[in-house]
Amino acid sequence: MSMMITKNILPAWLRHYQGKNLSHDAMGGIIFTILVIPQSLAYALLAGLPPHFGLYVSIFPVIAYALLGSSMVQAVGPVAITAIMTYSVLSPIAAPSSSEYIMLSASLAILSGTILLLFGWLRFGFLSQLLSRPVISGFISGAAFLIIISQLKSLLGISYPSEDIGEMFSVLIQPLSYSHGMTITIGLTSFLVLILARYHLLSLLVRFGLGATRSAFIVRIIPLLIIFLATILVVYFDLDTSSDVAVIGNLTEGLPSFTFFLPSYDSVKTLAVPALLMALIGMVQGISIAESLAIKRQERIDPNAELVGLGASNIVAAFYGGMPVGGGISRSAVNVASGAQTPLSGIISAFIMILIVAGASHWLARLPLTVLAANIMVAAISMVDIKAFRHAWLYDRADALALLGTACGVIVLGLEGGIVLGVSLSLSTLLYRVSIPHIAVIGRIAGTEHFRNVVRHKVETLPGVLFLRIDESLFFGNLNAVETRISSEMAKVKDLTDIVLVMNAVNMVDTTAMEVFTEFNRDLSERGIRLHLAEIKGPIHDRLRHSPLLKALSGNVFFTANRAFEELAATKATRNK
Amino acid sequence: MSMMITKNILPAWLRHYQGKNLSHDAMGGIIFTILVIPQSLAYALLAGLPPHFGLYVSIFPVIAYALLGSSMVQAVGPVAITAIMTYSVLSPIAAPSSSEYIMLSASLAILSGTILLLFGWLRFGFLSQLLSRPVISGFISGAAFLIIISQLKSLLGISYPSEDIGEMFSVLIQPLSYSHGMTITIGLTSFLVLILARYHLLSLLVRFGLGATRSAFIVRIIPLLIIFLATILVVYFDLDTSSDVAVIGNLTEGLPSFTFFLPSYDSVKTLAVPALLMALIGMVQGISIAESLAIKRQERIDPNAELVGLGASNIVAAFYGGMPVGGGISRSAVNVASGAQTPLSGIISAFIMILIVAGASHWLARLPLTVLAANIMVAAISMVDIKAFRHAWLYDRADALALLGTACGVIVLGLEGGIVLGVSLSLSTLLYRVSIPHIAVIGRIAGTEHFRNVVRHKVETLPGVLFLRIDESLFFGNLNAVETRISSEMAKVKDLTDIVLVMNAVNMVDTTAMEVFTEFNRDLSERGIRLHLAEIKGPIHDRLRHSPLLKALSGNVFFTANRAFEELAATKATRNK
């Protein structure tokens, strides 16, 4: 009995924990915690919250995910997409960083967390496949563009008159007279150093003879160093008071307490749809990151457990820090680079973060905001994926256009409209593709049992017999096209007596298709033409066996196209004698 | 030049008109016009419009469709679904039959007509496939239920306190004290006679020795006879004044004139979404009826021409009668039964209708409404399709549930919510099915070149080689499931060296799938496992040829699974020597 309880309470990775991983997880947890401080602060700022909230939600949400999620190395915490979505949903209804804003942000975390949790329990993980990769990539690129625009103001020390993209631009292209020289200097310098570090430092260090691991570590530590140097600069020259450089400001010292609350009816009404869309994007991102990490490590993840983990993280985040969280690409990359092997590393990291928040957060008070903005912008630039568009364009134009459409949709309609557009574009490309199925008239390659397209190969055919291979599942969405094509092929055959549908590529025959083909069979038999089916797949045959179609079929069901060919050839030969 | 113009202006059926059809079309047109009078009046009433409006829109819309549509025998005019949709959209915003209501109804016809016309020009006919047959059947059954409820009041001579389904019911289950004895007597008698005529008269007449054609004609003429008798009864006994039986009332004598107008900005705003949904349903119904008639007659229709025809009909209807029209099943059945061969029959019918409206419409003034209600209810009862549910349930539960869900959706959420739900359910069943693809581990049937499922057949396999046949297109929606399945099959093979994906049932590899398999190939090759592809279809191979996947593929591309089997067997044999 006690074993059962243990089994139900402790996650698998903890029950089977291997001692050899402990040192990796411990070191990994310590390094990770320190390295992600800049991005945690930056994304809280991006979400319109006080920067140190990013540290708060790096504690309990991380523990919740470690205990309930299924990925060994995915790191959950403040991430760019969730942050910009929070900002775009809440900034029109409350002033960023106000107590109302914080309350709404926590409500958003509860709602999207609950939705994720429910999706996980209901085993809706398959819904994370509603978006194709090009569409996701377009969404992220569009969001990155919005992030860059929103952060230019912090970087340059200016403010926008409104959240309207057009007006933001008009402010940006004016001479930079009203922005602060010192802010710009610090911001742009940080930005340039970060860009150079990100894209060139690694190869440079390796060329100078440093080992790859050590070089990678130095690259990862650069953001922290810049924050450190910039803060020292501010403190030493009193830049925050003398030159008006904006800084984080005094923080509430020590750890916040848990704040339990339920979102008000009004906020639920306002935030329900945004929370649903946020849950959808959180789900897609969380599961896809977890999956790509798992493949690299030859592990498996359970999408539904991932949803439960992400949902629980957000609910915990709502009560302690109040910022929606997610699984992040760069966070997880830092985690892997730090040497983490299991979620224990996350739990260790959470405890170290408690120490930092409790004892060291006053060190952050004079950190200049422009440096955080530079961090966000560098991250956003790396999110714009031009290569994905180029690759999609070369491989499949429809996908490339879906990518472009989603990116433009995000920029013009905003993030929520962008997601809805993205889902629609994903489904439309799918529906469009399956609605124009490939159907080939086939014949037998002489001397073999192989059948191939008469257009592409030299094949033998039978007079008055039409062999058609349908290269698509038969379902409500493509029956018009299938019927039209079959009719036009029928018209080309002289004295048609038999049609053989070769169904080795038909993976589904839905109710609509079964009915349409039943009618088709009846009409053909009234015209004296027999309809045969060949190479029906097992599961489809099981289903069709007792259907009106097979009961009324005027011709036969053949195991292979070749058997159909030989039997019909024999019938023709007998008849001609 | 003049030939060109003729070619562009006249429809194909008129340019190639065969003289032998003329007598059929003329007789058919006359009989059809008289037979559809009851349903034309009834559906106008159902739409909340004065009954004779149903006659007005049986004139010019019919001509417009005859000239622009593509079906030879589909009859366009007032139909049940369009009528109940008109009523459900407009009755909350204006009083039925008021001049405001008539104006809004005409606006609805213009808007949905314009949408249909645009869809036709943009060649969006394929969108009519957005709904599966079970979902359409569920929608129609749900709508029929709403029609029955709405008509009970006219049949019983009562009125509902509001349009709320719950309150309608509470009125219906009260004792029928406040309804009129005489109205109920006439209504129920008509109803019973119509029901008996529809479901039993034909077989009875045939059993009494009448020919099938003559019997069918008698059955078709019953509704007209009942209207005739009921009107005579009212006139003779003065039932409309003495017993308060509701009648059509005095009509504007003669033909109405064309009324050109543009819908106001406000009405466009209110009606845009309902008009779009109405166009969608009109499109689905119109095209599917036209198609099923064309198949029976071995003709072809052009879905986009159908849309242009339906659109033009509605726009003309807006200016002359002001009631949205559509292609109707029972109308078209009457048309075929009357002997029509080409759309000329429709044009003849339109001219006869002009004569009726101009000279004979005062004969309709004392027609009791309860008889029209009985007509509508009988039509609605025949629309409820229990058999479709039973068939779908036996063949495919998911489709049966989609049917039931849509029917309940229509009843609970109303017609518009029902359509949106129906489209969502259609797409969800599709997405759900393709998201759980069938994948089979296959082996060779000894002594042949055929490969079959190892579970279903006795086959030979190669040690360390996994042959997998993927029975589904590879696209963003099913890659999770495919990866999971492949991983689990890989884990079952000892000393795995080669994986062969047999792709004869893969009809599409979208960008997402190509990228995921490129990564999969890289991960496998890092583990020393080679990935081969076999039996790639022509169009997919063309696309993949220059993709990163084929460039980086660790194994080979084989023309057939058998060639892969033999080459890998040879390699293994050499290695073991």
Side-chain angles (χ1 to χ4, degrees):
Chain A
M1 189 65 199
S2 77
M3 263 196 65
M4 278 297 294
I5 291 174
T6 320
K7 197 175 170 189
N8 288 334
I9 289 180
L10 290 184
W13 64 263
L14 195 50
R15 273 182 282 127
H16 308 297
Y17 194 81
Q18 296 178 306
K20 65 173 181 174
N21 285 331
L22 188 59
S23 63
H24 291 290
D25 282 338
M27 267 314 288
I30 296 168
I31 296 168
F32 171 78
T33 316
I34 295 168
L35 289 183
V36 294
I37 287 177
Q39 50 171 287
S40 300
L41 295 168
Y43 293 145
L45 191 70
L46 178 59
L49 292 163
H52 54 289
F53 276 45
L55 303 183
Y56 296 165
V57 293
S58 303
I59 301 174
F60 295 102
V62 173
I63 297 177
Y65 179 80
L67 297 177
L68 296 168
S70 78
S71 167
M72 287 298 102
V73 290
Q74 162 142 270
V76 162
V79 292
I81 294 286
T82 312
I84 184 78
M85 286 193 75
T86 306
Y87 182 75
S88 93
V89 171
L90 302 184
S91 62
I93 47 181
S97 290
S98 66
S99 64
E100 192 197 347
Y101 190 97
I102 293 169
M103 192 68 182
L104 285 169
S105 162
S107 302
L108 198 57
I110 289 194
L111 290 175
S112 73
T114 309
I115 293 169
L116 286 166
L117 206 59
L118 285 176
F119 277 14
W121 281 333
L122 295 171
R123 316 198 64 74
F124 277 7
F126 76 95
L127 280 181
S128 72
Q129 304 181 102
L130 269 175
L131 291 164
S132 69
R133 273 200 192 188
V135 160
I136 296 170
S137 161
F139 178 79
I140 292 176
S141 294
F145 182 84
L146 294 185
I147 293 174
I148 292 169
I149 295 290
S150 85
Q151 291 307 302
L152 274 176
K153 69 172 193 289
S154 303
L155 191 79
L156 303 177
I158 53 176
S159 59
Y160 298 127
S162 80
E163 292 299 323
D164 182 85
I165 285 280
E167 292 195 39
M168 286 183 184
F169 263 118
S170 70
V171 167
L172 287 177
I173 56 173
Q174 281 168 38
L176 294 170
S177 58
Y178 40 36
S179 54
H180 305 271
M182 186 54 71
T183 305
I184 294 183
T185 309
I186 298 175
L188 281 185
T189 310
S190 314
F191 177 73
L192 290 175
V193 174
L194 285 167
I195 282 280
L196 288 173
R198 188 167 197 125
Y199 293 103
H200 301 289
L201 188 58
L202 189 67
S203 55
L204 204 73
L205 290 175
V206 172
R207 204 186 302 160
F208 274 101
L210 258 78
T213 322
R214 183 168 293 182
S215 303
F217 184 77
I218 294 177
V219 170
R220 294 270 168 212
I221 215 163
I222 293 285
L224 201 68
L225 275 180
I226 289 175
I227 285 190
F228 190 69
L229 287 176
T231 310
I232 288 182
L233 216 65
V234 169
V235 173
Y236 193 81
F237 294 107
D238 266 336
L239 295 178
D240 44 349
T241 45
S242 68
S243 301
D244 252 2
V245 168
V247 294
I248 289 189
N250 283 321
L251 312 176
T252 332
E253 265 295 305
L255 288 165
S257 56
F258 262 90
T259 330
F260 288 102
F261 74 105
L262 281 178
S264 69
Y265 175 71
D266 276 346
S267 64
V268 170
K269 242 175 57 180
T270 318
L271 301 177
V273 174
L276 180 69
L277 296 174
M278 209 156 139
L280 181 64
I281 282 292
M283 169 162 92
V284 169
Q285 224 191 359
I287 293 181
S288 65
I289 295 170
E291 225 147 41
S292 71
L293 291 169
I295 290 174
K296 284 211 180 66
R297 297 168 54 86
Q298 299 178 31
E299 292 166 352
R300 295 277 275 294
I301 63 143
D302 169 2
N304 297 307
E306 278 304 295
L307 293 181
V308 172
L310 288 171
S313 296
N314 271 293
I315 293 175
V316 176
F319 302 132
Y320 198 89
M323 174 184 176
V325 294
I329 302 175
S330 69
R331 263 189 115 73
S332 301
V334 170
N335 197 31
V336 171
S338 307
Q341 293 296 324
T342 77
L344 184 66
S345 144
I347 295 180
I348 291 169
S349 155
F351 283 104
I352 293 164
M353 192 56 89
I354 291 180
L355 298 180
I356 292 173
V357 172
S361 64
H362 61 276
W363 296 350
L364 301 170
R366 298 179 80 185
L367 195 165
L369 294 177
T370 184
V371 177
L372 291 182
N375 263 287
I376 298 176
M377 285 193 52
V378 173
I381 287 171
S382 75
M383 284 159 62
V384 178
D385 195 349
I386 307 283
K387 218 163 59 184
F389 176 74
R390 216 179 48 231
H391 284 171
W393 183 257
L394 291 174
Y395 183 72
D396 188 334
R397 301 262 153 113
D399 275 334
L401 291 176
L403 186 159
L404 202 62
T406 310
C408 295
V410 167
I411 294 168
V412 176
L413 307 172
L415 288 153
E416 298 168 56
I419 297 172
V420 174
L421 186 73
V423 173
S424 310
L425 285 173
S426 287
L427 291 179
S428 306
T429 48
L430 170 64
L431 200 71
Y432 180 72
R433 283 204 192 102
V434 292
S435 75
I436 40 167
H438 182 250
I439 294 179
V441 177
I442 55 172
R444 186 165 70 170
I445 298 182
T448 74
E449 299 190 357
H450 292 295
F451 284 71
R452 286 290 183 278
N453 196 329
V454 294
V455 181
R456 287 174 180 254
H457 300 272
K458 210 174 140 65
V459 293
E460 51 182 6
T461 55
L462 290 175
V465 181
L466 186 59
F467 276 80
L468 286 171
R469 193 188 65 214
I470 301 173
D471 288 355
E472 190 62 75
S473 292
L474 294 170
F475 76 106
F476 66 89
N478 60 13
L479 296 168
N480 284 358
V482 170
E483 281 192 303
T484 309
R485 180 65 195 281
I486 294 180
S487 305
S488 85
E489 290 302 339
M490 281 169 60
K492 292 183 200 156
V493 180
K494 238 184 76 182
D495 300 326
L496 186 67
T497 58
D498 296 272
I499 298 179
V500 182
L501 297 181
V502 180
M503 306 198 10
N504 62 341
V506 175
N507 306 310
M508 168 179 94
V509 177
D510 79 348
T511 308
T512 313
M514 186 270 289
E515 289 179 2
V516 166
F517 274 86
T518 308
E519 291 154 18
F520 182 60
N521 169 62
R522 198 188 51 221
D523 294 326
L524 283 181
S525 76
E526 281 170 12
R527 293 163 61 184
I529 300 170
R530 293 194 303 161
L531 180 68
H532 310 271
L533 305 178
E535 305 199 7
I536 307 177
K537 284 185 189 303
I540 296 177
H541 199 233
D542 291 347
R543 199 180 276 277
L544 281 178
R545 191 163 291 145
H546 304 289
S547 75
L549 176 57
L550 280 214
K551 280 183 194 152
L553 195 70
S554 58
N556 300 316
V557 175
F558 295 103
F559 191 55
T560 63
N562 191 52
R563 214 170 282 176
F565 193 92
E566 292 187 344
E567 259 184 55
L568 290 174
T571 319
K572 293 259 158 191
T574 326
R575 207 176 295 164
N576 290 343
K577 261 177 202 165
Chain B
M1 189 64 198
S2 79
M3 265 196 65
M4 277 298 292
I5 290 173
T6 320
K7 197 174 170 187
N8 288 333
I9 288 179
L10 291 183
W13 65 264
L14 196 50
R15 272 181 284 129
H16 307 298
Y17 194 81
Q18 297 178 303
K20 66 174 179 163
N21 285 331
L22 188 59
S23 64
H24 291 290
D25 282 338
M27 266 315 285
I30 295 168
I31 297 170
F32 171 78
T33 316
I34 296 167
L35 289 183
V36 295
I37 288 177
Q39 51 172 289
S40 300
L41 296 168
Y43 292 146
L45 192 70
L46 178 59
L49 292 164
H52 54 289
F53 277 46
L55 303 183
Y56 296 164
V57 293
S58 302
I59 303 174
F60 293 102
V62 174
I63 297 177
Y65 179 79
L67 296 178
L68 295 167
S70 78
S71 168
M72 288 297 104
V73 290
Q74 162 142 267
V76 162
V79 292
I81 295 285
T82 312
I84 184 76
M85 286 192 76
T86 306
Y87 181 76
S88 94
V89 171
L90 301 184
S91 64
I93 48 181
S97 290
S98 66
S99 64
E100 192 196 347
Y101 191 95
I102 292 170
M103 193 66 186
L104 285 169
S105 165
S107 303
L108 198 56
I110 289 195
L111 290 175
S112 73
T114 309
I115 293 169
L116 286 167
L117 206 60
L118 284 176
F119 277 14
W121 282 334
L122 294 171
R123 315 198 65 72
F124 276 7
F126 76 94
L127 280 181
S128 72
Q129 304 181 98
L130 268 175
L131 290 163
S132 69
R133 274 199 190 189
V135 160
I136 295 170
S137 160
F139 178 80
I140 291 176
S141 294
F145 183 85
L146 294 185
I147 293 174
I148 292 169
I149 295 290
S150 85
Q151 290 308 302
L152 273 175
K153 69 169 193 288
S154 303
L155 192 78
L156 304 176
I158 54 175
S159 59
Y160 298 128
S162 80
E163 292 301 321
D164 183 83
I165 283 280
E167 290 194 42
M168 286 184 184
F169 263 118
S170 69
V171 168
L172 288 177
I173 58 173
Q174 282 169 39
L176 293 172
S177 57
Y178 40 34
S179 53
H180 306 271
M182 187 52 73
T183 305
I184 294 182
T185 310
I186 298 176
L188 281 185
T189 310
S190 315
F191 177 74
L192 290 173
V193 174
L194 285 168
I195 281 280
L196 288 171
R198 187 166 198 126
Y199 292 105
H200 301 290
L201 188 59
L202 188 66
S203 56
L204 204 72
L205 290 175
V206 172
R207 205 186 301 158
F208 275 101
L210 260 78
T213 321
R214 183 168 293 183
S215 305
F217 184 77
I218 294 177
V219 170
R220 294 269 169 215
I221 216 165
I222 293 285
L224 201 67
L225 276 179
I226 290 176
I227 284 190
F228 190 68
L229 287 175
T231 309
I232 287 181
L233 216 65
V234 169
V235 173
Y236 194 80
F237 294 105
D238 265 338
L239 295 179
D240 45 349
T241 45
S242 68
S243 300
D244 252 3
V245 169
V247 294
I248 288 188
N250 283 320
L251 311 176
T252 331
E253 266 293 305
L255 288 165
S257 56
F258 262 90
T259 329
F260 287 103
F261 74 105
L262 281 177
S264 68
Y265 176 71
D266 275 348
S267 64
V268 171
K269 241 174 60 180
T270 318
L271 301 177
V273 173
L276 180 68
L277 296 174
M278 211 156 136
L280 182 64
I281 282 293
M283 167 162 94
V284 169
Q285 224 189 359
I287 292 180
S288 66
I289 295 171
E291 225 146 42
S292 71
L293 291 171
I295 290 175
K296 284 211 181 66
R297 296 168 55 86
Q298 299 179 35
E299 292 167 353
R300 295 275 276 294
I301 63 143
D302 170 0
N304 297 309
E306 278 303 295
L307 293 181
V308 172
L310 288 171
S313 296
N314 271 294
I315 293 174
V316 176
F319 301 133
Y320 198 87
M323 175 184 176
V325 293
I329 301 175
S330 68
R331 262 190 117 73
S332 302
V334 171
N335 197 31
V336 171
S338 307
Q341 293 296 326
T342 76
L344 184 65
S345 147
I347 294 180
I348 291 168
S349 155
F351 282 103
I352 293 165
M353 191 56 88
I354 291 181
L355 299 180
I356 293 174
V357 171
S361 64
H362 60 278
W363 297 350
L364 300 169
R366 298 178 81 183
L367 196 166
L369 293 178
T370 184
V371 178
L372 291 182
N375 263 289
I376 298 175
M377 284 191 56
V378 173
I381 287 171
S382 75
M383 284 159 62
V384 177
D385 195 350
I386 307 282
K387 218 162 60 182
F389 177 73
R390 215 177 52 231
H391 284 172
W393 183 258
L394 290 174
Y395 183 73
D396 189 334
R397 302 263 152 112
D399 275 332
L401 292 176
L403 187 160
L404 201 63
T406 309
C408 295
V410 168
I411 294 167
V412 175
L413 307 173
L415 288 152
E416 298 168 55
I419 298 172
V420 174
L421 187 72
V423 173
S424 311
L425 283 173
S426 286
L427 292 179
S428 304
T429 49
L430 170 64
L431 199 71
Y432 179 72
R433 283 204 191 99
V434 292
S435 76
I436 42 166
H438 182 249
I439 295 178
V441 177
I442 55 173
R444 186 166 70 171
I445 298 182
T448 75
E449 296 189 359
H450 292 294
F451 284 71
R452 287 289 184 277
N453 196 330
V454 294
V455 182
R456 288 175 180 254
H457 301 271
K458 212 175 137 67
V459 292
E460 52 183 5
T461 55
L462 290 175
V465 181
L466 185 59
F467 275 81
L468 286 171
R469 193 189 65 213
I470 301 172
D471 287 354
E472 191 62 75
S473 291
L474 295 169
F475 77 105
F476 65 88
N478 61 13
L479 296 167
N480 284 357
V482 171
E483 281 192 302
T484 309
R485 179 65 194 282
I486 294 180
S487 305
S488 84
E489 291 302 339
M490 282 169 59
K492 293 183 198 156
V493 180
K494 239 185 76 181
D495 301 326
L496 186 67
T497 58
D498 296 272
I499 298 179
V500 182
L501 297 181
V502 180
M503 304 196 15
N504 62 340
V506 175
N507 306 310
M508 169 178 93
V509 177
D510 80 347
T511 308
T512 313
M514 185 271 289
E515 288 179 2
V516 166
F517 274 86
T518 308
E519 290 154 19
F520 182 60
N521 171 62
R522 196 187 53 219
D523 294 325
L524 284 180
S525 77
E526 279 170 12
R527 293 161 62 184
I529 300 169
R530 293 194 302 162
L531 181 68
H532 311 272
L533 305 178
E535 305 198 8
I536 307 177
K537 285 185 188 304
I540 296 177
H541 199 231
D542 290 347
R543 199 180 276 279
L544 280 178
R545 192 162 289 144
H546 304 289
S547 75
L549 176 57
L550 281 214
K551 280 185 195 150
L553 195 70
S554 57
N556 300 317
V557 175
F558 295 103
F559 190 57
T560 64
N562 192 51
R563 214 169 282 176
F565 194 91
E566 292 187 344
E567 256 183 58
L568 290 173
T571 320
K572 293 259 160 190
T574 327
R575 209 177 292 163
N576 289 342
K577 263 176 199 164

